[in-house]
Amino acid sequence: MKLFVCDHCGNTVYFENASCERCGHKLGYLPEKNALVSLVESSGLWSTPAFPDDAYVFCENAHHGACNWLIRAEPGGDIYCAACRHNETIPDITNSLNLTRWQVIERAKKRLFYSLLRLRLPVETRNEDPVHGLSFRFLADMPVAGLPVMTGHDSGIITIALAEADDAERESRRAAMGEPYRTLLGHFRHEIGHHYWDLLVEGQPAAQRFTQLFGDASADYGRALEVYYANGAPMGWPQTHISAYATAHPWEDFAETFAHYLHITDTVEMAGAFGVRARPRNQDEHIVVDQVRFDPYMEPDFDVIIDHWVPLASMLNNLNRAMGHPDAYPFILTPQVIEKLAFVNSLVHGAPVQEQLARLDAVG
C-alpha cells in the first residue's frame, strides 16, 4: 500500500479516507490511476484537478459508507466500482449491526483489490466469466436454523462469514483453532489464493512446478481435511510450510502461501512509502532495514523482496512486543517456504501475459 497526498492542500491522506482532514475536500479513489483525488461537485458529477477532462460518480455503495471508489460518468455505465461489482450477496443492511460489519468487510476487500489491480491479475466478474468469474457472498449466521456460515471458496465464489468482522468473535475463533494470526484481510488473501490456483495453475504449464513444491493436488481434499483436524500438522512442519493449516492439503498450502505473498508485498510497499530504514545500535547486520527503493508489486526477483522483508518483519515484531501486543508477523520463513513464495511471485508476474494470450486466442 502507498501513501496518498491530497492534491488540493498537500496533506497526507490514506487509502480509506473519504475526505481530507486538513482542507475538508471530498476524496475518491481512482483504481485505474491508483490515485486518491480531491473532488469538486457540479450538477451531481464530480471532477478533480488531477484529471480535469473527466467526470466521475461515486460507487453506489458510497451511499452506505462502504466505499470511496469512483467510476467514470457515462450514460448507462456501471453503478458499482471495480471492486464492488463483484459482490453477489451482502447482508441485510437495514440491520445496523450488519451494516457496520459489512462496512468493515468492504474496507478489507478494497485492500485486497488494491493488490490484485497493482499486480494486474485477472478479475473478471461472474457475468463476464460464468465459470471462473470472481464473486463474493457476505453472509450472516442463521442461528434459528443452526447453520453457521463457513468462510471459503468454491469455483470463484468466495464466502466470508459476517461474524469475522467482529473483533471479539474473530479472536475467539483464532484462539479456539490455535491460529497465530487471523484477520479479515488474511481471509480475503487466503481465499483469493484458491481462486488464482484455479486460473493460473490448474491445467497450466505451472502445474508441474506446483506439484514439485506443494504436492499432488489430486489427493482427496475432504479426507485430507479430516486427517488434519483429527491429528494436526505432522512433526517438522515449520521447515516446509508457512503454517500448520498449510499442511492439510496442497491447495491449502498454496492459498496460505499466496496470502503471505500479498502480506509481504503490500507491507514492503508501505514501508517504502514511509521511507522506513533502520540500523540497529548493536551493529547486527542481519537486522538492518534498508530503505525500499523499488516497487515490490513489479519486482520479478523475489529475493529482492524477501531481503527487505525479513529484517522489516523483525522490527515490526519487536515494536509490537514493546507495546505488549503479539507479533505482527508470527511466522518463520525457511528456504523451502521462500521457494514457494518465489513461485507465487513468478506466477503472478506471468499472469498478465497469460491473460493477453487468452484474449488473443479468443479473438483468433
Side-chain angles (χ1 to χ4, degrees):
M1 181 61 67
K2 62 182 280 189
L3 288 174
F4 299 91
V5 176
C6 175
D7 51 26
H8 180 77
C9 70
N11 185 43
T12 297
V13 291
Y14 302 95
F15 184 61
E16 288 86 4
N17 285 160
S19 62
C20 176
E21 294 296 326
R22 177 187 290 173
C23 69
H25 267 73
K26 192 141 181 97
L27 301 174
Y29 180 69
L30 286 172
E32 65 272 21
K33 307 287 188 182
N34 192 20
L36 191 63
V37 297
S38 65
L39 298 166
V40 177
E41 186 178 18
S42 177
S43 302
L45 300 178
W46 297 91
S47 62
T48 173
F51 308 102
D53 295 333
D54 296 319
Y56 300 95
V57 294
F58 273 98
C59 173
E60 182 69 16
N61 286 337
H63 299 302
H64 308 296
C67 188
N68 67 339
W69 288 30
L70 296 165
I71 311 163
R72 191 185 300 274
E74 296 175 346
D78 287 331
I79 63 171
Y80 293 105
C81 71
C84 289
R85 67 194 183 115
H86 293 270
N87 290 356
E88 177 187 306
T89 306
I90 65 170
D92 175 12
I93 57 175
T94 61
N95 178 307
S96 60
L97 180 58
N98 284 354
L99 174 61
T100 299
R101 291 181 175 179
W102 176 55
Q103 290 167 340
V104 172
I105 283 176
E106 283 295 335
R107 287 195 289 272
K109 191 191 79 182
K110 297 302 190 305
R111 284 188 170 253
L112 170 71
F113 270 86
Y114 173 92
S115 295
L116 303 184
L117 295 173
R118 290 281 281 109
L119 291 167
R120 294 182 294 144
L121 287 166
V123 286
E124 282 77 15
T125 65
R126 213 68 182 169
N127 288 335
E128 292 165 331
D129 182 351
V131 178
H132 291 296
L134 178 63
S135 68
F136 294 90
R137 296 173 179 173
F138 304 133
L139 304 179
D141 287 342
M142 302 291 289
V144 175
L147 298 174
V149 174
M150 301 299 292
T151 293
H153 167 269
D154 182 12
S155 301
I157 301 171
I158 292 175
T159 300
I160 301 289
L162 197 65
E164 292 286 345
D166 179 80
D167 292 341
E169 176 62 26
R170 191 174 60 255
E171 174 61 17
S172 174
R173 295 183 183 191
R174 186 199 66 76
M177 300 183 74
E179 298 172 337
Y181 169 94
R182 189 184 182 97
T183 66
L184 263 179
L185 186 52
H187 282 314
F188 275 110
R189 288 172 170 169
H190 174 96
E191 301 305 339
I192 206 71
H194 286 298
H195 176 60
Y196 286 115
W197 187 90
D198 288 349
L199 294 183
L200 306 179
V201 178
E202 186 178 28
Q204 300 295 326
Q208 182 176 356
R209 181 61 176 155
F210 168 86
T211 302
Q212 293 171 350
L213 290 172
F214 295 88
D216 183 4
S218 67
D220 187 290
Y221 180 70
R223 176 59 183 159
L225 288 186
E226 288 178 7
V227 171
Y228 171 76
Y229 285 119
N231 303 325
M235 290 290 291
W237 67 263
Q239 292 302 310
T240 55
H241 295 76
I242 191 67
S243 68
Y245 186 56
T247 68
H249 189 276
W251 285 343
E252 298 302 341
D253 192 6
F254 180 81
E256 286 284 88
T257 304
F258 196 96
H260 280 258
Y261 170 74
L262 294 182
H263 295 335
I264 291 167
T265 303
D266 202 49
T267 308
V268 169
E269 185 186 42
M270 189 84 265
F274 270 96
V276 173
R277 55 184 173 182
R279 184 164 293 277
R281 292 184 178 181
N282 66 1
Q283 304 302 312
D284 185 347
E285 293 294 323
H286 293 95
I287 54 174
V288 169
V289 179
D290 290 325
Q291 187 171 354
V292 179
R293 302 184 185 277
F294 63 97
D295 183 349
Y297 277 105
M298 294 291 105
E299 178 54 59
D301 185 353
F302 190 70
D303 286 343
V304 175
I305 300 173
I306 207 68
D307 286 347
H308 283 75
W309 171 248
V310 171
L312 177 62
S314 177
M315 184 178 75
L316 291 173
N317 286 343
N318 281 283
L319 288 172
N320 261 30
R321 293 171 193 175
M323 289 291 293
H325 291 299
D327 284 357
Y329 191 74
F331 303 94
I332 297 172
L333 301 181
T334 65
Q336 285 179 269
V337 170
I338 291 173
E339 190 174 12
K340 293 176 181 179
L341 288 163
F343 170 78
V344 173
N345 188 56
S346 65
L347 191 68
V348 299
H349 284 295
V353 175
Q354 293 181 15
E355 185 181 14
Q356 287 284 2
L357 290 174
R359 287 176 177 173
L360 288 172
D361 289 343
V363 172

